[in-house]
Amino acid sequence: GESVGLHLPTLSVQEGDNSIINCAYSNSASDYFIWYKQESGKGPQFIIDIRSNMDKRQGQRVTVLLNKTVKHLSLQIAATQPGDSAVYFCSWMDSSYKLIFGSGTRLLVRP
Amino acid sequence: SQTIHQWPATLVQPVGSPLSLECTVEGTSNPNLYWYRQAAGRGLQLLFYSVGIGQISSEVPQNLSASRPQDRQFILSSKKLLLSDSGFYLCAWTIGEGQPQHFGDGTRLSIL
């Protein structure tokens, strides 16, 4: 599988503000995308997914946007809370149904 | 509901010693199972996956092996650990292809 080993970018936001985390994926044939949240010392936790026949999907306080033209995925978190502090990974499924993970973004929420 | 368990949570092993990490899934049948390794501050690298008992696919050549002796049990092993085997090992399951993977809480392995 593909692995990505890059230094983690960090997004710092004020509590209550909205957060936007961006991701560029590499496989233009991918049709399924997932965002995960990983807290320190724990495994990644599923947040929200989207298939390529959609460009937007909303969950509770989270929205995922997909732009297949430019291979870009974003996660929007409304009214960010301290409990949202974590590393967020985008992922996409390749033609063999394996998940490829992005490099991750660390979200820090300032009180 | 489905749950996934990994143990141990942390492990410190000397170079050259054997390894056995276990992962079990409850509440589902015939899941696809996965082993990943995550280096500090980095993304996840797929090591092995299994679509059924005794069926193991390896993604990268390495010092590790995997086995699936039962439907909901996935084991990661090594006969002789290397320093480079240190990392955070994660097990995941999915009900099938094209579905989200769900992760355990991992094992942090330190090799001395």
Side-chain angles (χ1 to χ4, degrees):
Chain A
E2 192 178 314
S3 75
V4 183
L6 303 174
H7 178 70
L8 280 179
T10 298
L11 173 67
S12 180
V13 300
Q14 191 73 37
E15 181 179 354
D17 287 351
N18 297 334
S19 304
I20 300 176
I21 300 171
N22 296 302
C23 171
Y25 62 93
S26 56
N27 189 338
S28 58
S30 295
D31 60 4
Y32 183 47
F33 306 83
I34 308 173
W35 279 99
Y36 286 93
K37 171 187 180 183
Q38 187 176 26
E39 296 175 281
S40 181
K42 295 190 174 181
Q45 177 186 8
F46 172 88
I47 301 174
I48 191 168
D49 59 358
I50 188 168
R51 299 197 185 267
S52 59
N53 59 349
M54 302 174 70
D55 53 19
K56 179 179 180 179
R57 190 162 188 231
Q58 290 184 287
Q60 189 177 11
R61 280 201 309 119
V62 294
T63 301
V64 55
L65 299 177
L66 173 63
N67 184 332
K68 292 203 68 178
T69 303
V70 296
K71 293 186 287 187
H72 185 267
L73 198 63
S74 69
L75 177 71
Q76 300 179 1
I77 304 174
T80 312
Q81 301 170 0
D84 294 326
S85 293
V87 176
Y88 290 80
F89 290 97
C90 68
S91 62
W92 55 94
M93 197 157 281
D94 72 8
S95 56
S96 303
Y97 300 103
K98 297 190 202 94
L99 272 185
I100 311 301
F101 285 83
S103 55
T105 297
R106 187 180 306 279
L107 176 65
L108 295 176
V109 182
R110 303 188 305 272
Chain B
S1 64
Q2 300 91 355
T3 55
I4 179 169
H5 303 281
Q6 282 187 249
W7 66 92
T10 59
L11 188 60
V12 181
Q13 291 283 102
V15 171
S17 63
L19 173 75
S20 181
L21 301 182
E22 190 160 344
C23 170
T24 59
V25 180
E26 295 177 359
T28 188
S29 295
N30 198 30
N32 290 352
L33 297 172
Y34 304 83
W35 278 112
Y36 289 87
R37 176 167 53 207
Q38 185 177 31
R42 297 194 169 198
L44 282 73
Q45 179 186 36
L46 179 62
L47 302 176
F48 300 97
Y49 69 95
S50 171
V51 298
I53 296 174
Q55 299 178 61
I56 308 293
S57 296
S58 174
E59 286 297 296
V60 293
Q62 59 199 303
N63 184 43
L64 302 169
S65 62
S67 61
R68 185 170 177 174
Q70 299 180 48
D71 181 43
R72 291 169 289 174
Q73 184 186 30
F74 205 22
I75 297 173
L76 184 68
S77 305
S78 173
K79 292 181 180 177
K80 273 188 166 184
L81 286 167
L82 306 172
L83 281 174
S84 58
D85 291 325
S86 291
F88 191 44
Y89 288 85
L90 290 155
C91 181
W93 71 274
T94 183
I95 59 172
E97 297 174 341
Q99 299 297 322
Q101 292 180 19
H102 303 279
F103 288 82
D105 275 339
T107 294
R108 186 161 304 282
L109 176 64
S110 300
I111 311 299
L112 305 178

